[in-house]
Amino acid sequence: MDNSLLVSLSHQLAAYRSMDVIANNIANASTPGYKRETAKFEEFVTYVRPSETQTGPQALSFVKDAGAVRDLGQGELNSTGATLDFAINGKGFFAVQTPAGIRYTRDGHFTLNQDGQLVTSDGYAVQGDGGAITITPDDGNVSVGADGTISSIINGAANQIAKLQVVTFPDERAMIKQGANLYSTTQTARPSTESTVAQRMLEGSNVKPVIEISHMVEVMRAYEMTATMTNSQEQLMRQAIDTMLEFGWFYM
């Protein structure tokens, strides 16, 4: 394949990757605690032999997919009125127990399962400082303090039920997405000291749909320009082949 077509193909693949990331952002615009991502690319340079009119190795520049960069900016905190909806204001993640081990999330939309355990919408147990958190009907109306302490008032006396485990990591961008708005990491978790927990609120996604759509338009235009260049190159090749066939050069 002609080198120019290979370069064009790498650009088209980059546009496809960018579009995939943008579409995922838009799809999660209403997902609590979701963090938008931006496709990251690097230049990959290789050298090829010179043509008849060139001297020395010739550099070809390709586009290399280098993953995605996560925007850790906080989303807007929205009031829900639900007793078991919690939002983290500042840095930090809730810890939850999954079949694959401890995972972390900013999505604080929790409920109680049939055993009275505080769980995520997927049924994963939310972790407190002492493990899974259980809230029984005898606990009455619960409230959550800014430090994540879950408590209630029973017969006029304060009753501490548990304390939400809110943790941070040295490099939050290095955390790996695991689906279902969960992240994993090999970094050592440490208690968050720069955040507070708000009850009856959820953190919204930090995706701005209008901005994402404008980025989508830019990517589509870039793809169309590359596709046009590819079509022009293919036409030139066909014309060259037709000319060679006309003069019988293929039979020499």
Side-chain angles (χ1 to χ4, degrees):
M1 183 180 292
D2 184 77
N3 289 330
S4 61
L5 294 180
L6 290 173
V7 172
S8 177
L9 177 60
S10 76
H11 281 263
Q12 291 181 57
L13 290 174
Y16 178 85
R17 168 63 174 158
S18 294
M19 191 66 74
D20 186 50
V21 172
I22 293 171
N24 188 59
N25 287 338
I26 294 176
N28 285 282
S30 60
T31 300
Y34 176 81
K35 303 302 178 186
R36 69 178 296 274
E37 295 184 331
T38 304
K40 179 182 178 182
F41 301 101
E42 296 176 351
E43 182 182 24
F44 177 77
V45 180
T46 187
Y47 293 89
V48 297
R49 291 180 299 177
S51 64
E52 294 180 356
T53 60
Q54 298 173 326
T55 58
Q58 300 299 302
L60 286 181
S61 179
F62 294 90
V63 181
K64 179 183 177 181
D65 185 355
V69 177
R70 188 175 303 122
D71 178 2
L72 298 178
Q74 181 162 324
E76 183 179 355
L77 301 189
N78 302 304
S79 176
T80 66
T83 302
L84 299 179
D85 279 350
F86 308 124
I88 299 175
N89 186 14
K91 292 184 177 181
F93 294 84
F94 297 111
V96 299
Q97 180 68 56
T98 75
I102 296 293
R103 296 293 184 263
Y104 305 94
T105 184
R106 295 275 299 188
D107 184 352
H109 180 53
F110 303 141
T111 58
L112 296 179
N113 65 11
Q114 59 185 6
D115 298 320
Q117 285 190 337
L118 188 66
V119 297
T120 67
S121 56
D122 292 305
Y124 301 137
V126 180
Q127 299 297 287
D129 287 347
I133 299 172
T134 300
I135 301 175
T136 68
D138 294 334
D139 290 322
N141 295 326
V142 300
S143 61
V144 176
D147 64 347
T149 299
I150 303 175
S151 59
S152 65
I153 302 296
I154 300 179
N155 297 325
N159 172 48
Q160 182 172 329
I161 301 171
K163 184 177 181 181
L164 288 166
Q165 189 179 142
V166 180
V167 297
T168 59
F169 302 93
D171 185 4
E172 294 183 352
R173 283 190 172 84
M175 299 177 73
I176 302 171
K177 290 179 65 174
Q178 296 294 335
N181 216 5
L182 299 175
Y183 299 91
S184 67
T185 182
T186 58
Q187 302 175 73
T188 301
R190 59 190 183 192
S192 175
T193 58
E194 303 176 4
S195 64
T196 57
V197 176
Q199 188 181 15
R200 296 184 176 86
M201 302 191 78
L202 286 177
E203 179 191 7
S205 163
N206 65 357
V207 173
K208 305 296 183 184
V210 173
I211 295 177
E212 297 299 323
I213 292 174
S214 67
H215 289 165
M216 181 179 290
V217 172
E218 292 174 359
V219 172
M220 290 177 62
R221 288 175 176 170
Y223 179 87
E224 291 172 354
M225 290 177 61
T226 305
T228 299
M229 183 181 71
T230 300
N231 291 335
S232 298
Q233 185 66 21
E234 290 177 346
Q235 291 177 5
L236 289 175
M237 291 179 64
R238 283 195 295 268
Q239 292 175 5
I241 292 173
D242 290 341
T243 300
M244 295 176 73
L245 288 173
E246 181 181 351
F247 287 95
W249 290 350
F250 283 155
Y251 302 100
M252 295 177 59

